[in-house]
Amino acid sequence: MYKHPRQKTEAYTLPPFEASSVGKLRYIPAHNSLKRSAHEDTSGSCVTDDFNDKIKELETVMMGPDSLDLVFDYNDSFDSTSCQETNSWRSTLEAISRRDLRADLVSCAQALSENDLMMAHSMMEKLRQMVSVSGEPIQRLGAYLLEGLVAKLASSGSSIYKSLNRFPEPASTELLSYMHILYEVCPYFKFGYMSANGAIAEAMKEENRVHIIDFQIGTQGSQWVTLIQAFAARPGGPPRIRITGIDDTTSAYARGGGLSIVGNRLAKLAKQFNVPFEFNSVSVSASEVKLKDLGVRAGEALAVNFAFVLHRMPDESVSTKNHRDRLLRMVKSLSPKVVTLVEQESNTNTASFFPRFKETMDYYDAMFESIDVTLPRNHKQRINVEQHCLARDVVNIIACEGADRVERHELLGKWRSRFEMAGFSSYPLSPLVNSTIKSLLRNYSDKYRLEERDGALYLGWMQRDLVASCAWK
């Protein structure tokens, strides 16, 4: 799930591939458009011509030509045995064609995981006719899953993911607008911010000087608006607040400038509510943060916030530096009063390709369904929201490996082990946090659910947990 802008990657398209010989692939440019799903009904739709043009434009630059242009070299090595194998393969395809889109996506990923390139190619050709960026949730998600599969098939997912630039990065103001839409239509980010703020407010209720270190401050520092207001209303007056915001160039791009924009906004708000305030900016990637960057001062009660950021830190499976655990040990050495963790409840870090694909499809299927309830399919910006705020994560998880795969989610059980190994103990969330979030969810679909388990809060869509929040000391 897209949190706020992170690394700036080039926009991607779905490249076709041709086989110069069976089992060998060569990248060829994409030019034409994807066929819209034959099952998609646009009759009686209030979709405007501009919206239809947008769909056609996106599908043209994203999905490539009408077929995968799979050209096999029928040379002397292609004998009767090959023909028999091909007939068997076609029979399998006919059987598969009677299954649904989810099953076809899984079958394609399985063929790819088993290095069955002929089957994977043909499944992709079939899937191109089934997915649509303007269709049902699984059709829309399927378009991006298919894109990731094609890049993975090229055995160079990372280079393709980085190099393709057929659909330009939106202007910073546009990207900020897309993120704001997603923030408003889904409660996931508000849930995370509210639960973390509740834990911080509870831990700091007796403190007069508070220092908050945010390891990935949002594009506008939105999380801290409500906390500053809450501190302003505290009996006995507000504490003196200092916020250290850690950021990278991608977030700076999204908001159209550096951290000074966030600092100025929060300072103006604090002045309005008569809250003593100071902002400290650290313009580096969270994985590169050193103790000297944090500016910890004696006499300040320290809170550390990890909201949707730790899953992007390389761990022991990627680098011997293991920034994920290194950061936790460094933070523990500062003796904070409270540390908040908000993460997606998904398991994609060390999983091999095929189970990782299935997990990604299951997770984002729930996400796309939840968007569908609130944001109409004919909403002009919905495609942009999904493409720029979610699809990049999907493609990265599926197509990339090693250090290039930056979206590496873990389940809360694994995070719990990491925090405990670093010396932390659980900090129970206040019942007030639970009741406040329940009030928030009344503004959304009743398919959202909130559960408290083992001192942590889980926000889910129907039966799928999507975001987990907890606190540590």
Side-chain angles (χ1 to χ4, degrees), residues 118-355:
M118 182 178 290
M119 176 63 75
H121 270 295
S122 296
M123 286 300 304
M124 288 175 185
E125 183 175 6
K126 176 177 182 288
L127 285 166
R128 289 166 66 95
Q129 312 306 315
M130 302 172 69
V131 301
S132 169
V133 297
S134 60
E136 297 177 359
I138 187 58
Q139 290 178 300
R140 305 198 309 265
L141 173 60
Y144 303 116
L145 291 171
L146 177 56
E147 192 167 350
L149 288 171
V150 171
K152 181 71 174 178
L153 177 61
S155 299
S156 57
S158 298
S159 60
I160 292 175
Y161 176 70
K162 290 179 176 180
S163 66
L164 295 176
N165 191 28
R166 297 181 60 83
F167 204 82
E169 180 84 6
S172 60
T173 53
E174 293 175 340
L175 182 55
L176 187 60
S177 174
Y178 303 151
M179 295 184 327
H180 179 73
I181 292 173
L182 187 60
Y183 179 86
E184 291 299 327
V185 301
C186 295
Y188 305 116
F189 315 108
K190 291 180 182 178
F191 158 78
Y193 294 161
M194 289 177 65
S195 57
N197 285 355
I200 294 172
E202 175 70 17
M204 302 298 179
K205 61 184 178 182
E206 303 293 338
E207 301 293 338
N208 294 320
R209 298 177 62 194
V210 175
H211 181 196
I212 301 169
I213 299 176
D214 188 348
F215 266 84
Q216 180 62 82
I217 199 160
T219 55
Q220 298 294 307
S222 301
Q223 176 173 353
W224 308 117
V225 172
T226 56
L227 186 62
I228 290 174
Q229 293 172 338
F231 276 138
R234 194 176 74 173
R240 178 176 295 276
I241 302 173
R242 188 159 65 96
I243 294 179
T244 293
I246 299 168
D247 197 17
D248 55 31
T249 56
T250 306
S251 289
Y253 169 78
R255 65 174 160 264
L259 276 170
S260 59
I261 294 177
V262 177
N264 291 337
R265 181 192 185 210
L266 295 179
K268 183 177 180 180
L269 177 75
K271 183 177 181 180
Q272 178 184 346
F273 285 91
N274 297 314
V275 176
F277 181 80
E278 182 182 345
F279 187 81
N280 175 42
S281 63
V282 180
S283 299
V284 299
S285 169
S287 63
E288 302 301 322
V289 171
K290 305 294 190 297
L291 275 175
K292 62 182 178 61
D293 299 321
L294 302 178
V296 176
R297 300 173 185 170
E300 291 180 330
L302 180 63
V304 177
N305 185 58
F306 289 114
F308 302 112
V309 61
L310 273 181
H311 75 273
R312 306 190 87 248
M313 301 298 104
D315 71 347
E316 67 278 4
S317 68
V318 180
S319 168
T320 55
K321 294 181 179 179
N322 190 1
H323 292 296
R324 192 169 297 196
D325 291 340
R326 180 188 68 81
L327 281 178
L328 293 182
R329 292 193 298 269
M330 181 181 73
V331 167
K332 181 59 180 176
S333 72
L334 301 175
S335 300
K337 287 208 69 173
V338 66
V339 177
T340 52
L341 173 71
V342 183
E343 277 294 347
Q344 291 144 266
E345 185 68 355
S346 182
N347 183 21
T348 63
N349 181 22
T350 57
S352 59
F353 167 72
F354 186 51

Side-chain angles (χ1 to χ4, degrees), residues 90-129:
R90 285 174 178 166
S91 297
T92 303
L93 277 183
E94 291 174 0
I96 291 175
S97 68
R98 293 190 288 269
R99 301 165 65 186
D100 62 21
L101 176 55
R102 286 181 180 83
D104 286 351
L105 286 163
V106 170
S107 295
C108 184
Q110 185 172 13
L112 195 54
S113 71
E114 296 172 353
N115 203 34
D116 188 346
L117 301 185
M118 182 178 290
M119 176 63 75
H121 270 295
S122 296
M123 286 300 304
M124 288 175 185
E125 183 175 6
K126 176 177 182 288
L127 285 166
R128 289 166 66 95
Q129 312 306 315

